[in-house]
Amino acid sequence: MPRVTVYYTQNCPYCRMVKAYLDRRGVDYRAIDVGTDHEQARKMVELSGQYGVPVITVDDEVIVGFDAAKLDELFGGGAGEGPYDVLIVGAGPAGLTAAVYCSRKMLQTAIVSENIGGQALESWAIENYMGYRVVSGTDLMQKFEEQARSMQNIHLDLDRVQSLGREGEVFIAQTASGRTYLARSVILAQGKRRRKLGVEGEERYLGRGLSVCATCDGPLFRGKVVAVIGGGNSALQTAIEMSGIAREVHLVVRSAIKADPVYVERYEERKNIATYLDHTVTALHGNGVLTGVTIRENKSGEEKTIAVDGVFAEIGWIPNTDLLEGLVPLNDQKEVIIDINCTTGTPGIFAAGDVTNIRTKQVITAAGEGAKAALAAYTYLTR
Ligand SMILES: Cc1cc2nc3c(=O)[nH]c(=O)nc-3n(C[C@H](O)[C@H](O)[C@H](O)COP(=O)(O)OP(=O)(O)OC[C@H]3O[C@@H](n4cnc5c(N)ncnc54)[C@H](O)[C@@H]3O)c2cc1C
């Protein structure tokens, strides 16, 4: 058996998925919490060149992030699948709820998702999901996952759907790891992803100081100086969270803060957050790892560089609909257009949650829409 080590942090959902993946395949591994073991954190950065978790070593091979295709290659992946009654793309709140409803209707269901839990995993305190006064996104999604796994007829795979098409009455999905899924109907629940900064240095420093998951990588910046880019709910949540971990937080906002009062109030209480309103990020700098960010004052055009160890970009979202062009009607924001029953413009394809044009994008609405999409798929299949 190969020697496998997983470098992780406590709240990192991707780390949890790596461990679940290895557990499922009966692979023995050593798990090292680099959020608390600083010497091992230094070693991980030295090995991988990354300030981000998870990092996995398999003998002398270093794997950065939860790379399902690479792990499948090393530990053996699954075969092609189907035909299923329903294929659900995405296992966030919408997809997991849809799966439970499909299972209760005795539909043979496959969920293919890059991770389990979706964006909710990144929320450290959800205070508006009924039944919980306050719950972390990780804990809530673990409950969703447990419920889905406890049901019959649900086949859950960690993978990325890369293409989706139709041949006659059957939908065909191809995944990143080379699997093919056949299904009689599809529920799109693939949510949305972060918008990129689009500045010099972005690709170079991703994982080398630039992070897109504060919940995962935040502990690696304990006592350091970080910048958070953005002025919405996600940016403020991250700034508040990082102000309790980092020594100093620089919040760079392109125009004005546009967040819910509950976050604004908490942000205003923090003493170690310096705010730059009406500023745009123009470049990231460093030498191998990130050391600074340049920002420009929008009116005067004046630039300044702030020395930072990390940058968390929280500047908005785009729906994960690239693979749907030509398959279902999208609106001008590239969201899937649905009616009140979660039906899309293409018979046999349903959609739920943040990938759609519903205005409210929350865990509770995504879960509700997931239930509706499943029931609509059931009606379609039994028509
Ligand atoms: C930092 C943060 C804090 C938040 N706080 C709250 C809060 O306090 N309360 C609240 O109600 N909501 C909150 N939200 C919003 C909430 O998390 C989302 O509205 C909800 O998760 C949407 O669920 P979803 O299932 O539609 O999509 P997502 O959660 O985006 O899940 C989509 C899933 O699809 C997968 N996927 C994407 N593309 C593919 C593909 N091609 N192939 C396979 N899988 C794919 C993704 O990996 C993911 O697992 C927060 C969001 C963030 C980011």
Side-chain angles (χ1 to χ4, degrees), residues 142-158:
Q142 209 158 343
K143 295 261 181 249
F144 272 52
E145 179 182 349
E146 278 165 19
Q147 188 165 351
R149 285 196 191 279
S150 73
M151 307 292 285
Q152 309 234 305
N153 314 329
I154 299 179
H155 175 96
L156 178 56
D157 256 334
L158 288 168

Side-chain angles (χ1 to χ4, degrees), residues 89-95 112-120 122-123 125-128 159-161 189-192 194 234 237 263 317 320 323 352-355 361-364 366:
V89 186
V112 181
S113 187
E114 284 182 297
N115 66 41
I116 302 176
Q119 295 164 63
E122 295 183 31
S123 182
I126 293 178
E127 297 173 340
N128 50 7
D159 208 337
R160 175 177 178 71
V161 173
Q190 65 263 44
K192 51 186 170 45
R194 280 200 166 74
S234 297
Q237 273 203 35
Y263 296 126
W317 300 82
N320 290 317
L323 63 123
D354 283 14
V355 77
K361 296 195 162 61
Q362 291 278 280
V363 174
I364 201 159

Side-chain angles (χ1 to χ4, degrees), residues 40-52 220 289:
Q40 288 289 348
R42 195 191 53 71
K43 189 177 163 200
M44 179 196 84
V45 174
E46 209 173 274
L47 270 174
S48 63
Q50 294 287 311
Y51 272 92
L220 297 169
V289 293

Side-chain angles (χ1 to χ4, degrees), residues 38 168 370 378:
H38 304 302
Y378 175 71

